Amino acid sequence: MHVVVCGAGIAGLTLALQLHRQGTDVTVVEAAPGPRTEGWMLDFFGPGHAAAARMGLLPRLQELSRPVEELVWAGARGRPRARVPWARFAAALDGQLLSLLRPDLERALREQVAGRVTVRHGRRVVGFADGPGPLRVHLDDGTALEADLLVGADGLRSRVRAAAFGPVPLRLLGMHTAAFAVEDPALHAALGRRLWLTDTLDRMLGLYALEGARVAVFTVHRTPAPVPPADARAQLRAVFAGLGGLVPAVLARCPPPERIYCDVVAQVEPPRWSTGRIVLAGDACHAVSLVAGQGASLAVAGAAELARQLGTAPDLPTALAGYERTWRPVAAARQRAGRDGLEWFLPSRRTTLWARRAGLRLLAVPGAERLLLRGLLGGPDPPGGAPGHP
Ligand SMILES: Cc1cc2nc3c(=O)[nH]c(=O)nc-3n(C[C@H](O)[C@H](O)[C@H](O)COP(=O)(O)OP(=O)(O)OC[C@H]3O[C@@H](n4cnc5c(N)ncnc54)[C@H](O)[C@@H]3O)c2cc1C
């Protein structure tokens, strides 16, 4: 069996690794010219953490994880409003929580597939022909790959999904997000090992110190705009103007728009996850968005589940049906939890902001963490794994 995976992101690399371990021939096609070095900080917990443990990836992920000592929420003028030791969050998740840069998670997976799986960088999948005979996967250089299965692991705006099912509208959550890095020794020193977040209405900016004098920045703000702006830097400067603390230094050093990741915050719910010899994985079929805080986790666990089904089911249709039957309810529950937790994630009302602040202060008290974590992380399920998942 030859599987072509479109996208060397978190889901695509996980799937490639697991299929290779099962003896399947895999080719990964990735649009980016090489591994990405830029990205955002991930809280990695839940089903993906459990899957990574089963896959033997945890020791490497622990090495690559970034220690955080404390989370600090600062008000509009920059004064700290709440502080929570990172250990409180980790304790609430029985220690099954890693703080990782997205490129580091990708790196751990790449190290495992290196020399074992062909990854073709700088090439895009543009379509496929799934008629009689071998499935043909068309690339943007005019060539085609023959395959027995094409997996669209190509993210929120999946090209494979569009080719298989036609346009599937994104479920917009009324926010934009951005991520980038700035270089500032003073800002870096001020942060230390803290994750610094604004505790503000309708907009949030988070900071974490990286190597050297680099600082990772992520932002989210409410807006009805259905597409990201042409000039992300101008938008960020307008939205976050007037905030104090560490924000002015970030806005002053904000890189040009082409070096800022910026997109709508959205989920996606395609009518089906597979058709014929085409199947979707990761954000392409179950994007939960950053408000659910588990997109990468679900990408790992869902891809591992797809590989398991392909390795154990008697035939392809049974494997693809089993994958969707098992995994879709898990992803749908996380999507719902993310939507239900929107107001907690980014308060739009002063009463929520105050209630959240009180909750965060309580979180610093030993023993209160389990109760409060569900609201703050937006997840009603037990964090260790997905209910009903093998
Ligand atoms: C700011 C921010 C914070 C987040 N925080 C968290 C968090 O704390 N915890 C968490 O678990 N998740 C978090 N997430 C979500 C998480 O990053 C995503 O859910 C996850 O990266 C999805 O992985 P994926 O492999 O499905 O898709 P992606 O990571 O998007 O990978 C898709 C890949 O496909 C490639 N591609 C696209 N089209 C084509 C094509 N036509 N041909 C070839 N290649 C193609 C792309 O270049 C890319 O490499 C966050 C997301 C954002 C934006």
Side-chain angles (χ1 to χ4, degrees):
M1 185 172 187
H2 178 222
V3 177
V4 171
V5 177
C6 174
I10 308 304
L13 289 170
T14 303
L15 182 69
L17 172 60
Q18 291 301 83
L19 288 179
H20 168 77
R21 286 175 170 175
Q22 290 168 199
T24 304
D25 179 25
V26 187
T27 304
V28 183
V29 180
E30 168 55 48
R36 287 192 184 82
T37 51
E38 301 288 332
W40 42 87
M41 286 291 282
L42 298 168
D43 297 323
F44 190 66
F45 62 100
H49 191 285
R54 289 194 295 272
M55 291 164 66
L57 293 175
L58 271 195
R60 183 63 178 136
L61 291 178
Q62 275 153 355
E63 269 172 26
L64 291 168
S65 72
R66 314 267 169 163
V68 178
E69 281 169 9
E70 187 186 41
L71 286 88
V72 178
W73 282 265
R77 296 200 185 131
R79 271 191 31 222
R81 301 284 185 191
R83 295 172 178 275
V84 180
W86 179 254
R88 283 270 170 274
F89 283 98
L93 295 164
D94 298 322
Q96 313 297 299
L97 167 66
L98 290 171
S99 188
L100 285 166
L101 267 185
R102 187 195 170 284
D104 287 340
L105 175 56
E106 195 180 301
R107 179 173 159 193
L109 292 163
R110 276 178 187 277
E111 287 169 357
Q112 293 292 318
V113 299
R116 298 176 176 139
V117 169
T118 306
V119 182
R120 292 180 62 177
H121 280 110
R123 283 276 78 87
R124 276 178 190 280
V125 170
V126 292
F128 58 81
D130 189 11
L135 165 69
R136 290 178 68 77
V137 180
H138 299 295
L139 307 187
D140 59 355
D141 61 355
T143 62
L145 297 171
E146 288 196 353
D148 301 296
L149 176 67
L150 167 63
V151 182
D154 47 348
L156 181 67
R157 298 175 191 283
S158 169
R159 181 89 178 242
V160 173
R161 185 182 69 224
F165 301 108
V168 175
L170 300 181
R171 188 196 267 257
L172 300 174
L173 300 183
M175 298 175 186
H176 284 181
T177 183
F180 53 95
V182 296
E183 189 111 10
D184 185 325
L187 188 59
H188 192 275
L191 282 168
R193 286 273 157 241
R194 281 187 289 272
L195 181 57
W196 190 91
L197 300 149
T198 65
D199 183 35
T200 38
L201 285 176
D202 295 325
R203 53 189 171 163
M204 174 165 63
L205 184 145
L207 299 175
Y208 178 78
L210 301 171
E211 296 82 6
R214 293 176 73 234
V215 171
V217 184
F218 95 90
T219 72
V220 58
H221 71 274
R222 290 184 185 267
T223 167
V227 288
D231 185 341
R233 178 165 65 180
Q235 173 168 279
L236 290 172
R237 285 182 169 161
V239 168
F240 290 93
L243 293 186
L246 305 178
V247 177
V250 173
L251 297 184
R253 302 235 181 260
C254 195
E258 62 276 12
R259 293 199 2 238
I260 299 175
Y261 163 86
C262 183
D263 207 347
V264 295
V265 176
Q267 299 183 337
V268 70
E269 297 150 302
R272 290 162 58 203
W273 287 8
S274 67
T275 175
R277 289 175 285 182
I278 317 299
V279 65
L280 304 173
D283 271 10
C285 55
H286 55 60
V288 291
S289 87
L290 83 163
V291 299
Q294 292 196 47
S297 174
L298 291 178
V300 169
E305 172 61 11
L306 174 56
R308 192 185 71 81
Q309 293 279 352
L310 289 169
T312 53
D315 53 45
L316 187 62
T318 310
L320 301 188
Y323 160 60
E324 182 165 348
R325 196 175 51 247
T326 317
W327 199 245
R328 190 168 188 130
V330 176
R334 294 302 192 286
Q335 289 180 319
R336 269 195 309 279
R339 294 195 298 273
D340 292 348
L342 271 183
E343 177 63 15
W344 282 108
F345 177 77
L346 186 61
S348 64
R349 295 187 293 271
R350 233 161 247 296
T351 43
T352 321
L353 192 71
W354 291 334
R356 189 179 72 162
R357 201 174 288 163
L360 288 168
R361 286 179 182 151
L362 195 57
L363 196 54
V365 177
E369 60 267 19
R370 274 182 192 280
L371 194 64
L372 288 160
L373 196 75
R374 290 185 178 184
L376 293 171
L377 295 179
D381 300 325
H389 182 242

